[in-house]
Amino acid sequence: ARADLAVLAGKTHPLHELPPGEALSRLSEYPFVSFSAARDAHSTLSAFLRDHGLPPPRIMCETSSLFGCLELVRKGDFLLYETRMITECPVGFDVTPLEIGQEIKGFDMGIVYREGLDSLPHVRRLMAIMAEVLHEKTGSAP
C-alpha cells in the first residue's frame, strides 16, 4: 500500500476555501494536534515547511488517542499531520486532506509474512482483514 502523509482538517476548515498555494502559506496560522505515536513524522512536516520559508507547526495538543486527535480536528480549527488513509476509514469521517499543491511525504508500506505466525489468532485475523480489503479494492478472490 502507499501511505501519503498530509495535513488533515475538518470539512469546514477555512483553509479548504483557499487555493493550494495560499493554503500552504497559511498553515502556520492554525494550531496542530499531534498523535503522540507519530511524533517522528513532525520532523518531516517541519522540514517541508522550512523548505518553503514557513515556521514549524504549532503543536498545541499532544495525545495518545487518535480518536481524540480526529475529534479536535473535526470540531475546531486544529490541523493534524497524518496519513490520508485515515480519511477513508469510518473513524476519519468529516476529516479531509488539505490541498496544498504538492505531496509532503509518501512511502510504501506492507507486512512481512513469516511462516508459523499464522498459528496466532490475531495474525490470522489480520491476514483475513487484508484479504477482504484486497478483494474489495481489486475484485480478486479472497
Side-chain angles (χ1 to χ4, degrees), residues 9-138:
K11 279 184 141 178
T12 61
H13 197 284
L15 289 178
H16 283 302
E17 298 174 16
L18 302 177
E22 191 174 343
L24 170 61
S25 70
R26 297 191 52 201
L27 284 180
S28 300
E29 295 176 20
Y30 292 89
F32 276 76
V33 61
S34 174
F35 178 45
S36 58
R39 197 174 291 143
D40 292 340
H42 285 282
S43 62
T44 62
L45 177 60
S46 292
F48 175 83
L49 293 173
R50 183 178 55 246
D51 290 347
H52 289 82
L54 300 168
R58 286 184 305 124
I59 299 172
M60 301 299 286
C61 177
E62 183 178 298
T63 177
S64 60
S65 168
L66 185 56
F67 298 103
C69 287
L70 291 167
E71 193 63 18
L72 286 168
V73 169
R74 239 188 308 279
K75 302 281 178 154
D77 284 342
F78 281 100
L79 301 173
L80 173 65
Y81 181 59
E82 255 302 336
T83 176
R84 289 176 181 263
M85 285 191 269
I86 289 174
T87 64
E88 299 170 8
C89 300
V91 69
F93 74 94
D94 287 343
V95 173
T96 59
L98 283 174
E99 295 306 324
I100 59 170
Q102 53 194 288
E103 181 182 274
I104 300 174
K105 179 170 177 65
F107 55 91
D108 293 325
M109 57 185 254
I111 295 178
V112 175
Y113 174 75
R114 289 192 172 85
E115 195 170 345
L117 286 179
D118 54 354
S119 65
L120 301 173
H122 61 279
V123 174
R124 280 197 312 273
R125 180 65 187 132
L126 177 61
M127 289 172 59
I129 291 168
M130 290 172 32
E132 290 171 20
V133 169
L134 181 63
H135 174 68
E136 289 173 12
K137 300 272 185 193
T138 66

